[in-house]
Short mmCIF file of all heavy atoms in Angstrom, two decimals:
data_model
loop_
_atom_site.label_atom_id
_atom_site.label_comp_id
_atom_site.label_asym_id
_atom_site.label_seq_id
_atom_site.Cartn_x
_atom_site.Cartn_y
_atom_site.Cartn_z
N MET A 465 107.96 130.68 115.78
CA MET A 465 108.49 130.21 114.49
C MET A 465 108.99 128.77 114.54
O MET A 465 108.70 127.99 113.69
CB MET A 465 109.56 131.20 114.02
CG MET A 465 110.12 130.87 112.67
SD MET A 465 108.86 131.13 111.43
CE MET A 465 109.74 130.86 109.98
N LEU A 466 109.78 128.48 115.61
CA LEU A 466 110.33 127.17 115.78
C LEU A 466 109.20 126.13 115.92
O LEU A 466 109.21 125.02 115.32
CB LEU A 466 111.26 127.08 117.00
CG LEU A 466 111.90 125.74 117.27
CD1 LEU A 466 112.70 125.26 116.06
CD2 LEU A 466 112.72 125.78 118.52
N ALA A 467 108.18 126.47 116.68
CA ALA A 467 107.02 125.57 116.85
C ALA A 467 106.34 125.28 115.51
O ALA A 467 105.93 124.15 115.27
CB ALA A 467 106.03 126.15 117.83
N ARG A 468 106.26 126.30 114.66
CA ARG A 468 105.65 126.13 113.35
C ARG A 468 106.46 125.18 112.47
O ARG A 468 105.93 124.34 111.78
CB ARG A 468 105.54 127.51 112.69
CG ARG A 468 104.77 127.51 111.44
CD ARG A 468 104.66 128.88 110.90
NE ARG A 468 103.51 128.99 110.06
CZ ARG A 468 103.12 130.06 109.46
NH1 ARG A 468 103.77 131.20 109.67
NH2 ARG A 468 102.07 130.07 108.64
N VAL A 469 107.80 125.28 112.53
CA VAL A 469 108.69 124.44 111.78
C VAL A 469 108.54 122.99 112.23
O VAL A 469 108.42 122.04 111.45
CB VAL A 469 110.16 124.91 111.89
CG1 VAL A 469 111.11 123.89 111.31
CG2 VAL A 469 110.33 126.23 111.18
N ILE A 470 108.53 122.82 113.57
CA ILE A 470 108.37 121.45 114.13
C ILE A 470 107.03 120.88 113.75
O ILE A 470 106.92 119.70 113.33
CB ILE A 470 108.52 121.46 115.67
CG1 ILE A 470 109.96 121.83 116.01
CG2 ILE A 470 108.10 120.17 116.28
CD1 ILE A 470 110.22 122.08 117.49
N LEU A 471 105.95 121.67 113.82
CA LEU A 471 104.61 121.17 113.44
C LEU A 471 104.58 120.76 111.97
O LEU A 471 104.04 119.74 111.62
CB LEU A 471 103.58 122.26 113.75
CG LEU A 471 102.13 121.88 113.53
CD1 LEU A 471 101.76 120.67 114.36
CD2 LEU A 471 101.24 123.05 113.83
N CYS A 472 105.16 121.57 111.09
CA CYS A 472 105.18 121.25 109.66
C CYS A 472 106.00 119.99 109.44
O CYS A 472 105.62 119.13 108.63
CB CYS A 472 105.78 122.40 108.87
SG CYS A 472 104.66 123.82 108.75
N SER A 473 107.11 119.83 110.15
CA SER A 473 107.92 118.62 109.98
C SER A 473 107.16 117.35 110.41
O SER A 473 107.21 116.33 109.70
CB SER A 473 109.21 118.74 110.80
OG SER A 473 109.98 119.80 110.36
N LEU A 474 106.42 117.46 111.48
CA LEU A 474 105.64 116.32 111.93
C LEU A 474 104.55 115.97 110.95
O LEU A 474 104.28 114.80 110.67
CB LEU A 474 105.03 116.60 113.31
CG LEU A 474 105.99 116.60 114.50
CD1 LEU A 474 105.26 117.05 115.75
CD2 LEU A 474 106.56 115.21 114.70
N PHE A 475 103.92 117.01 110.40
CA PHE A 475 102.87 116.79 109.43
C PHE A 475 103.43 116.07 108.21
O PHE A 475 102.82 115.10 107.68
CB PHE A 475 102.23 118.13 109.00
CG PHE A 475 101.25 117.98 107.91
CD1 PHE A 475 99.98 117.44 108.14
CD2 PHE A 475 101.57 118.30 106.60
CE1 PHE A 475 99.07 117.28 107.12
CE2 PHE A 475 100.69 118.16 105.56
CZ PHE A 475 99.42 117.67 105.83
N LEU A 476 104.57 116.54 107.72
CA LEU A 476 105.18 115.91 106.53
C LEU A 476 105.58 114.47 106.79
O LEU A 476 105.45 113.61 105.94
CB LEU A 476 106.35 116.74 106.03
CG LEU A 476 106.00 118.07 105.38
CD1 LEU A 476 107.23 118.89 105.06
CD2 LEU A 476 105.15 117.84 104.12
N ALA A 477 106.12 114.22 107.99
CA ALA A 477 106.54 112.86 108.33
C ALA A 477 105.35 111.92 108.32
O ALA A 477 105.43 110.79 107.83
CB ALA A 477 107.24 112.85 109.68
N CYS A 478 104.24 112.35 108.88
CA CYS A 478 103.01 111.55 108.87
C CYS A 478 102.46 111.36 107.48
O CYS A 478 101.92 110.34 107.18
CB CYS A 478 102.00 112.20 109.78
SG CYS A 478 102.41 112.13 111.55
N ALA A 479 102.55 112.37 106.67
CA ALA A 479 101.99 112.34 105.32
C ALA A 479 102.74 111.33 104.45
O ALA A 479 102.13 110.68 103.62
CB ALA A 479 102.05 113.72 104.71
N PHE A 480 103.99 111.14 104.68
CA PHE A 480 104.80 110.21 103.86
C PHE A 480 105.03 108.87 104.50
O PHE A 480 105.73 108.02 103.95
CB PHE A 480 106.11 110.85 103.45
CG PHE A 480 105.90 112.02 102.51
CD1 PHE A 480 106.09 113.29 102.93
CD2 PHE A 480 105.47 111.82 101.23
CE1 PHE A 480 105.90 114.39 102.10
CE2 PHE A 480 105.25 112.88 100.35
CZ PHE A 480 105.46 114.18 100.79
N THR A 481 104.53 108.62 105.66
CA THR A 481 104.62 107.34 106.32
C THR A 481 103.29 106.62 106.16
O THR A 481 102.23 107.16 106.57
CB THR A 481 104.89 107.49 107.86
OG1 THR A 481 106.12 108.22 107.98
CG2 THR A 481 105.05 106.16 108.51
N PRO A 482 103.28 105.44 105.53
CA PRO A 482 101.97 104.76 105.30
C PRO A 482 101.35 104.36 106.65
O PRO A 482 101.93 103.61 107.41
CB PRO A 482 102.36 103.56 104.47
CG PRO A 482 103.81 103.33 104.62
CD PRO A 482 104.40 104.68 105.01
N ALA A 483 100.16 104.91 106.90
CA ALA A 483 99.50 104.63 108.14
C ALA A 483 99.02 103.16 108.20
O ALA A 483 98.83 102.63 109.29
CB ALA A 483 98.27 105.56 108.29
N ASN A 484 98.88 102.58 107.03
CA ASN A 484 98.39 101.19 106.99
C ASN A 484 99.47 100.17 106.71
O ASN A 484 99.21 99.10 106.23
CB ASN A 484 97.25 101.06 105.94
CG ASN A 484 97.74 101.48 104.58
OD1 ASN A 484 98.82 101.97 104.39
ND2 ASN A 484 96.95 101.18 103.54
N ALA A 485 100.73 100.56 107.04
CA ALA A 485 101.88 99.64 106.83
C ALA A 485 101.64 98.41 107.71
O ALA A 485 101.27 98.52 108.89
CB ALA A 485 103.21 100.33 107.16
N LEU A 486 101.81 97.24 107.13
CA LEU A 486 101.60 95.99 107.84
C LEU A 486 102.86 95.52 108.52
O LEU A 486 103.96 95.67 108.03
CB LEU A 486 101.13 94.93 106.87
CG LEU A 486 99.87 95.22 106.09
CD1 LEU A 486 99.62 94.15 105.05
CD2 LEU A 486 98.67 95.31 107.03
N THR A 487 102.70 94.94 109.70
CA THR A 487 103.80 94.30 110.42
C THR A 487 104.14 92.97 109.74
O THR A 487 103.34 92.48 108.92
CB THR A 487 103.47 94.06 111.89
OG1 THR A 487 102.42 93.07 111.95
CG2 THR A 487 103.04 95.32 112.60
N GLN A 488 105.27 92.42 110.07
CA GLN A 488 105.67 91.13 109.53
C GLN A 488 104.63 90.04 109.85
O GLN A 488 104.31 89.23 108.99
CB GLN A 488 107.04 90.75 110.07
CG GLN A 488 107.67 89.51 109.43
CD GLN A 488 108.08 89.74 107.97
OE1 GLN A 488 108.22 90.85 107.54
NE2 GLN A 488 108.33 88.70 107.28
N GLU A 489 104.13 90.07 111.08
CA GLU A 489 103.13 89.10 111.48
C GLU A 489 101.84 89.24 110.66
O GLU A 489 101.20 88.27 110.29
CB GLU A 489 102.85 89.21 112.98
CG GLU A 489 103.98 88.82 113.88
CD GLU A 489 105.03 89.92 114.02
OE1 GLU A 489 104.68 91.11 113.79
OE2 GLU A 489 106.15 89.58 114.35
N GLU A 490 101.43 90.51 110.41
CA GLU A 490 100.23 90.75 109.63
C GLU A 490 100.40 90.31 108.19
O GLU A 490 99.48 89.74 107.58
CB GLU A 490 99.86 92.21 109.65
CG GLU A 490 99.34 92.67 111.03
CD GLU A 490 99.19 94.15 111.15
OE1 GLU A 490 100.05 94.90 110.53
OE2 GLU A 490 98.29 94.61 111.87
N LEU A 491 101.63 90.53 107.64
CA LEU A 491 101.92 90.04 106.27
C LEU A 491 101.79 88.53 106.18
O LEU A 491 101.17 88.00 105.28
CB LEU A 491 103.30 90.49 105.81
CG LEU A 491 103.52 91.96 105.45
CD1 LEU A 491 105.00 92.24 105.31
CD2 LEU A 491 102.76 92.27 104.24
N LEU A 492 102.40 87.84 107.13
CA LEU A 492 102.37 86.37 107.11
C LEU A 492 100.91 85.88 107.32
O LEU A 492 100.53 84.95 106.61
CB LEU A 492 103.25 85.79 108.22
CG LEU A 492 104.74 86.05 108.00
CD1 LEU A 492 105.56 85.54 109.23
CD2 LEU A 492 105.24 85.35 106.76
N ALA A 493 100.15 86.50 108.18
CA ALA A 493 98.78 86.08 108.42
C ALA A 493 97.96 86.30 107.16
O ALA A 493 97.10 85.45 106.76
CB ALA A 493 98.20 86.86 109.58
N ARG A 494 98.19 87.41 106.46
CA ARG A 494 97.45 87.67 105.21
C ARG A 494 97.76 86.66 104.13
O ARG A 494 96.89 86.19 103.42
CB ARG A 494 97.78 89.11 104.74
CG ARG A 494 96.93 89.55 103.61
CD ARG A 494 97.08 91.00 103.34
NE ARG A 494 96.43 91.74 104.41
CZ ARG A 494 95.80 92.90 104.24
NH1 ARG A 494 95.77 93.44 103.09
NH2 ARG A 494 95.20 93.47 105.23
N LEU A 495 99.07 86.32 103.97
CA LEU A 495 99.49 85.32 103.00
C LEU A 495 98.90 83.95 103.35
O LEU A 495 98.38 83.23 102.48
CB LEU A 495 101.03 85.23 102.91
CG LEU A 495 101.68 86.44 102.22
CD1 LEU A 495 103.16 86.48 102.51
CD2 LEU A 495 101.39 86.39 100.71
N GLU A 496 98.96 83.59 104.60
CA GLU A 496 98.40 82.28 105.02
C GLU A 496 96.86 82.22 104.79
O GLU A 496 96.32 81.22 104.33
CB GLU A 496 98.75 81.96 106.45
CG GLU A 496 100.23 81.66 106.62
CD GLU A 496 100.71 81.53 108.05
OE1 GLU A 496 99.89 81.83 108.99
OE2 GLU A 496 101.87 81.18 108.27
N ALA A 497 96.19 83.33 105.07
CA ALA A 497 94.72 83.40 104.85
C ALA A 497 94.43 83.29 103.36
O ALA A 497 93.34 82.81 102.97
CB ALA A 497 94.19 84.70 105.39
N ALA A 498 95.37 83.71 102.50
CA ALA A 498 95.16 83.62 101.05
C ALA A 498 95.53 82.27 100.51
O ALA A 498 95.51 82.03 99.29
CB ALA A 498 95.98 84.69 100.35
N GLY A 499 95.92 81.32 101.40
CA GLY A 499 96.22 79.96 100.97
C GLY A 499 97.67 79.59 100.77
O GLY A 499 98.01 78.51 100.24
N TYR A 500 98.56 80.47 101.17
CA TYR A 500 100.03 80.23 101.00
C TYR A 500 100.57 79.60 102.27
O TYR A 500 100.11 79.87 103.37
CB TYR A 500 100.78 81.52 100.70
CG TYR A 500 100.38 82.16 99.43
CD1 TYR A 500 99.42 83.15 99.39
CD2 TYR A 500 100.93 81.78 98.23
CE1 TYR A 500 99.06 83.77 98.18
CE2 TYR A 500 100.58 82.36 97.01
CZ TYR A 500 99.64 83.36 97.03
OH TYR A 500 99.27 83.94 95.85
N SER A 501 101.51 78.66 102.12
CA SER A 501 102.18 78.03 103.27
C SER A 501 103.69 78.08 102.98
O SER A 501 104.14 78.48 101.93
CB SER A 501 101.71 76.58 103.42
OG SER A 501 102.08 75.83 102.28
N GLN A 502 104.45 77.72 104.02
CA GLN A 502 105.93 77.70 103.92
C GLN A 502 106.44 79.04 103.39
O GLN A 502 107.27 79.11 102.54
CB GLN A 502 106.42 76.55 103.05
CG GLN A 502 106.00 75.19 103.54
CD GLN A 502 106.44 74.10 102.63
OE1 GLN A 502 107.37 74.22 101.87
NE2 GLN A 502 105.69 72.97 102.67
N VAL A 503 105.90 80.10 103.92
CA VAL A 503 106.22 81.47 103.47
C VAL A 503 107.57 81.89 104.03
O VAL A 503 107.88 81.73 105.20
CB VAL A 503 105.14 82.47 103.97
CG1 VAL A 503 105.51 83.88 103.52
CG2 VAL A 503 103.75 82.08 103.45
N ARG A 504 108.45 82.42 103.11
CA ARG A 504 109.72 82.94 103.53
C ARG A 504 109.99 84.23 102.75
O ARG A 504 109.71 84.32 101.56
CB ARG A 504 110.87 81.98 103.35
CG ARG A 504 110.74 81.01 102.32
CD ARG A 504 111.75 79.90 102.27
NE ARG A 504 111.93 79.56 100.90
CZ ARG A 504 111.10 78.89 100.14
NH1 ARG A 504 109.94 78.48 100.65
NH2 ARG A 504 111.35 78.64 98.90
N GLU A 505 110.48 85.23 103.48
CA GLU A 505 110.74 86.53 102.87
C GLU A 505 111.93 86.45 101.91
O GLU A 505 112.92 85.78 102.20
CB GLU A 505 111.00 87.57 103.97
CG GLU A 505 110.97 88.98 103.38
CD GLU A 505 111.00 90.06 104.45
OE1 GLU A 505 110.93 89.73 105.67
OE2 GLU A 505 111.09 91.23 104.09
N ASN A 506 111.85 87.18 100.85
CA ASN A 506 112.88 87.08 99.79
C ASN A 506 113.53 88.46 99.53
O ASN A 506 113.99 88.74 98.44
CB ASN A 506 112.20 86.58 98.51
CG ASN A 506 113.22 86.04 97.50
OD1 ASN A 506 114.25 85.61 97.85
ND2 ASN A 506 112.86 86.13 96.22
N GLY A 507 113.49 89.35 100.50
CA GLY A 507 114.07 90.70 100.34
C GLY A 507 113.35 91.67 101.17
O GLY A 507 112.45 91.35 101.92
N SER A 508 113.76 92.91 101.09
CA SER A 508 113.10 93.94 101.88
C SER A 508 112.91 95.20 101.01
O SER A 508 113.48 95.30 99.92
CB SER A 508 113.92 94.30 103.10
OG SER A 508 115.21 94.75 102.75
N GLY A 509 112.16 96.13 101.50
CA GLY A 509 111.88 97.36 100.81
C GLY A 509 110.41 97.67 100.90
O GLY A 509 109.68 97.11 101.68
N LYS A 510 109.98 98.68 100.10
CA LYS A 510 108.57 99.05 100.14
C LYS A 510 107.68 97.92 99.64
O LYS A 510 106.58 97.72 100.12
CB LYS A 510 108.32 100.29 99.28
CG LYS A 510 108.78 101.54 99.92
CD LYS A 510 108.33 102.70 99.09
CE LYS A 510 108.71 104.00 99.81
NZ LYS A 510 108.27 105.16 99.07
N ILE A 511 108.15 97.19 98.66
CA ILE A 511 107.36 96.03 98.17
C ILE A 511 108.04 94.78 98.65
O ILE A 511 109.19 94.49 98.34
CB ILE A 511 107.28 96.04 96.63
CG1 ILE A 511 106.59 97.30 96.17
CG2 ILE A 511 106.57 94.80 96.12
CD1 ILE A 511 106.53 97.47 94.67
N LYS A 512 107.35 94.04 99.48
CA LYS A 512 107.89 92.80 100.03
C LYS A 512 107.72 91.66 99.03
O LYS A 512 106.68 91.53 98.45
CB LYS A 512 107.19 92.44 101.35
CG LYS A 512 107.29 93.48 102.41
CD LYS A 512 108.63 93.41 103.04
CE LYS A 512 108.69 94.34 104.25
NZ LYS A 512 109.90 94.32 104.90
N THR A 513 108.77 90.88 98.88
CA THR A 513 108.67 89.68 98.00
C THR A 513 108.87 88.45 98.86
O THR A 513 109.65 88.45 99.81
CB THR A 513 109.75 89.71 96.87
OG1 THR A 513 111.04 89.77 97.45
CG2 THR A 513 109.54 90.91 95.94
N PHE A 514 108.16 87.40 98.51
CA PHE A 514 108.19 86.15 99.25
C PHE A 514 108.22 84.96 98.34
O PHE A 514 107.74 85.05 97.20
CB PHE A 514 106.89 86.06 100.15
CG PHE A 514 106.79 87.11 101.19
CD1 PHE A 514 106.17 88.31 100.88
CD2 PHE A 514 107.26 86.92 102.45
CE1 PHE A 514 106.01 89.29 101.82
CE2 PHE A 514 107.13 87.89 103.43
CZ PHE A 514 106.54 89.10 103.10
N LYS A 515 108.74 83.84 98.83
CA LYS A 515 108.62 82.54 98.22
C LYS A 515 107.67 81.82 99.11
O LYS A 515 107.70 81.90 100.35
CB LYS A 515 109.95 81.80 98.19
CG LYS A 515 110.99 82.39 97.29
CD LYS A 515 110.76 82.05 95.86
CE LYS A 515 111.92 82.51 95.03
NZ LYS A 515 111.71 82.28 93.63
N ALA A 516 106.72 81.10 98.52
CA ALA A 516 105.72 80.35 99.29
C ALA A 516 105.22 79.19 98.46
O ALA A 516 105.53 79.07 97.31
CB ALA A 516 104.58 81.28 99.66
N VAL A 517 104.44 78.34 99.11
CA VAL A 517 103.84 77.18 98.44
C VAL A 517 102.32 77.40 98.45
O VAL A 517 101.75 77.71 99.46
CB VAL A 517 104.23 75.88 99.17
CG1 VAL A 517 103.49 74.69 98.53
CG2 VAL A 517 105.72 75.68 99.11
N LYS A 518 101.74 77.22 97.26
CA LYS A 518 100.28 77.24 97.16
C LYS A 518 99.85 76.17 96.18
O LYS A 518 100.39 76.01 95.12
CB LYS A 518 99.80 78.63 96.62
CG LYS A 518 98.26 78.75 96.63
CD LYS A 518 97.85 80.18 96.34
CE LYS A 518 96.33 80.27 96.51
NZ LYS A 518 95.90 81.63 96.31
N ASN A 519 98.90 75.36 96.66
CA ASN A 519 98.40 74.23 95.88
C ASN A 519 99.54 73.28 95.49
O ASN A 519 99.58 72.75 94.36
CB ASN A 519 97.63 74.70 94.63
CG ASN A 519 96.42 75.54 94.97
OD1 ASN A 519 95.77 75.31 95.93
ND2 ASN A 519 96.17 76.54 94.15
N GLY A 520 100.50 73.06 96.39
CA GLY A 520 101.60 72.15 96.17
C GLY A 520 102.68 72.66 95.23
O GLY A 520 103.61 71.91 94.89
N LYS A 521 102.61 73.89 94.83
CA LYS A 521 103.56 74.48 93.88
C LYS A 521 104.25 75.68 94.49
O LYS A 521 103.62 76.53 95.12
CB LYS A 521 102.79 74.89 92.62
CG LYS A 521 103.68 75.34 91.48
CD LYS A 521 102.83 75.54 90.19
CE LYS A 521 102.57 77.01 90.04
NZ LYS A 521 101.84 77.36 88.83
N GLU A 522 105.60 75.80 94.36
CA GLU A 522 106.28 76.97 94.87
C GLU A 522 106.07 78.14 93.94
O GLU A 522 106.19 78.02 92.73
CB GLU A 522 107.81 76.70 95.00
CG GLU A 522 108.52 77.87 95.68
CD GLU A 522 109.91 77.63 96.08
OE1 GLU A 522 110.09 77.08 97.22
OE2 GLU A 522 110.80 77.88 95.27
N VAL A 523 105.74 79.28 94.56
CA VAL A 523 105.48 80.48 93.77
C VAL A 523 106.18 81.67 94.45
O VAL A 523 106.57 81.60 95.60
CB VAL A 523 103.96 80.83 93.73
CG1 VAL A 523 103.21 79.76 92.93
CG2 VAL A 523 103.37 80.96 95.10
N SER A 524 106.37 82.76 93.67
CA SER A 524 106.86 84.01 94.17
C SER A 524 105.70 84.96 94.22
O SER A 524 104.89 85.02 93.31
CB SER A 524 107.94 84.57 93.26
OG SER A 524 109.05 83.73 93.24
N VAL A 525 105.60 85.67 95.35
CA VAL A 525 104.55 86.67 95.53
C VAL A 525 105.16 87.98 95.99
O VAL A 525 106.22 88.00 96.58
CB VAL A 525 103.45 86.17 96.50
CG1 VAL A 525 102.72 84.99 95.96
CG2 VAL A 525 104.03 85.89 97.85
N ILE A 526 104.43 89.07 95.71
CA ILE A 526 104.80 90.34 96.27
C ILE A 526 103.61 90.88 97.07
O ILE A 526 102.47 90.56 96.83
CB ILE A 526 105.18 91.35 95.15
CG1 ILE A 526 104.02 91.58 94.17
CG2 ILE A 526 106.40 90.94 94.40
CD1 ILE A 526 104.26 92.71 93.19
N VAL A 527 103.97 91.69 98.09
CA VAL A 527 102.97 92.35 98.91
C VAL A 527 103.37 93.81 98.97
O VAL A 527 104.46 94.13 99.42
CB VAL A 527 102.88 91.76 100.32
CG1 VAL A 527 101.79 92.46 101.13
CG2 VAL A 527 102.65 90.25 100.29
N ASP A 528 102.53 94.66 98.45
CA ASP A 528 102.86 96.09 98.43
C ASP A 528 102.55 96.74 99.76
O ASP A 528 102.09 96.11 100.71
CB ASP A 528 102.21 96.81 97.26
CG ASP A 528 100.66 96.92 97.36
OD1 ASP A 528 100.13 96.69 98.47
OD2 ASP A 528 100.08 97.21 96.38
N SER A 529 102.83 98.02 99.90
CA SER A 529 102.67 98.73 101.16
C SER A 529 101.21 98.80 101.61
O SER A 529 100.93 99.08 102.78
CB SER A 529 103.23 100.15 101.06
OG SER A 529 102.57 100.88 100.07
N ARG A 530 100.28 98.54 100.74
CA ARG A 530 98.85 98.55 101.10
C ARG A 530 98.38 97.11 101.46
O ARG A 530 97.22 96.94 101.76
CB ARG A 530 97.99 99.08 99.94
CG ARG A 530 98.28 100.55 99.67
CD ARG A 530 97.56 101.02 98.46
NE ARG A 530 97.99 100.23 97.33
CZ ARG A 530 97.33 100.07 96.22
NH1 ARG A 530 96.21 100.71 96.03
NH2 ARG A 530 97.79 99.38 95.22
N GLY A 531 99.27 96.12 101.33
CA GLY A 531 98.91 94.78 101.69
C GLY A 531 98.31 93.98 100.52
O GLY A 531 97.82 92.90 100.73
N GLN A 532 98.36 94.51 99.34
CA GLN A 532 97.87 93.80 98.16
C GLN A 532 98.86 92.69 97.77
O GLN A 532 100.00 92.92 97.64
CB GLN A 532 97.68 94.76 96.98
CG GLN A 532 96.72 95.87 97.24
CD GLN A 532 95.29 95.37 97.48
OE1 GLN A 532 94.82 94.55 96.71
NE2 GLN A 532 94.66 95.84 98.51
N ILE A 533 98.31 91.49 97.59
CA ILE A 533 99.12 90.31 97.20
C ILE A 533 99.01 90.05 95.73
O ILE A 533 97.93 90.05 95.16
CB ILE A 533 98.68 89.07 98.00
CG1 ILE A 533 98.79 89.29 99.50
CG2 ILE A 533 99.45 87.84 97.55
CD1 ILE A 533 98.10 88.25 100.35
N LYS A 534 100.16 89.80 95.08
CA LYS A 534 100.16 89.47 93.68
C LYS A 534 101.17 88.37 93.41
O LYS A 534 102.31 88.46 93.87
CB LYS A 534 100.51 90.70 92.84
CG LYS A 534 100.50 90.37 91.36
CD LYS A 534 100.49 91.60 90.48
CE LYS A 534 100.60 91.19 89.08
NZ LYS A 534 99.58 91.66 88.23
N GLU A 535 100.73 87.34 92.73
CA GLU A 535 101.61 86.21 92.36
C GLU A 535 102.43 86.62 91.11
O GLU A 535 101.86 87.14 90.17
CB GLU A 535 100.78 84.98 92.08
CG GLU A 535 101.33 83.76 92.74
CD GLU A 535 100.40 82.58 92.62
OE1 GLU A 535 99.60 82.39 93.51
OE2 GLU A 535 100.57 81.84 91.63
N LEU A 536 103.73 86.36 91.15
CA LEU A 536 104.57 86.66 89.99
C LEU A 536 104.56 85.50 89.04
O LEU A 536 104.54 84.34 89.48
CB LEU A 536 105.98 86.98 90.43
CG LEU A 536 106.12 88.15 91.40
CD1 LEU A 536 107.58 88.22 91.90
CD2 LEU A 536 105.72 89.41 90.73
N GLN A 537 104.56 85.76 87.77
CA GLN A 537 104.53 84.73 86.75
C GLN A 537 105.89 84.29 86.34
O GLN A 537 106.77 85.03 86.21
CB GLN A 537 103.73 85.19 85.51
CG GLN A 537 102.31 85.61 85.83
CD GLN A 537 101.41 84.45 86.23
OE1 GLN A 537 101.80 83.28 86.11
NE2 GLN A 537 100.28 84.76 86.75
#
């Protein structure tokens, strides 16, 4: 019974932990590859927000847990 509880707990932990969560280095590399420079983190949480420069203009961007980048207006 205990083994079953432990197995179920491990399964649930894996199910709710994003397998594709990006490291800080991967986030920065993804932003730089998208043309952003001078990237600095602007908070923490599931959705990462950043201040960065693109085309000579400072912008705010978000990166979600899947690594999708969106510029804020």
Side-chain angles (χ1 to χ4, degrees):
M465 182 67 175
L466 180 59
R468 188 177 203 178
V469 170
I470 292 171
L471 185 58
C472 287
S473 297
L474 287 173
F475 174 76
L476 289 174
C478 291
F480 292 108
T481 303
N484 59 350
L486 300 173
T487 66
Q488 187 71 15
E489 292 80 21
E490 291 170 325
L491 285 171
L492 292 175
R494 189 169 286 214
L495 287 165
E496 289 172 353
Y500 297 95
S501 63
Q502 300 176 26
V503 178
R504 30 190 213 286
E505 192 170 354
N506 198 28
S508 61
K510 283 187 177 184
I511 299 176
K512 300 283 187 178
T513 60
F514 298 88
K515 294 280 187 183
V517 174
K518 186 170 186 178
N519 299 325
K521 186 172 101 177
E522 185 169 273
V523 294
S524 295
V525 295
I526 59 172
V527 182
D528 67 17
S529 61
R530 296 174 299 161
Q532 299 295 313
I533 300 169
K534 180 167 175 125
E535 227 172 270
L536 300 174
Q537 302 292 349

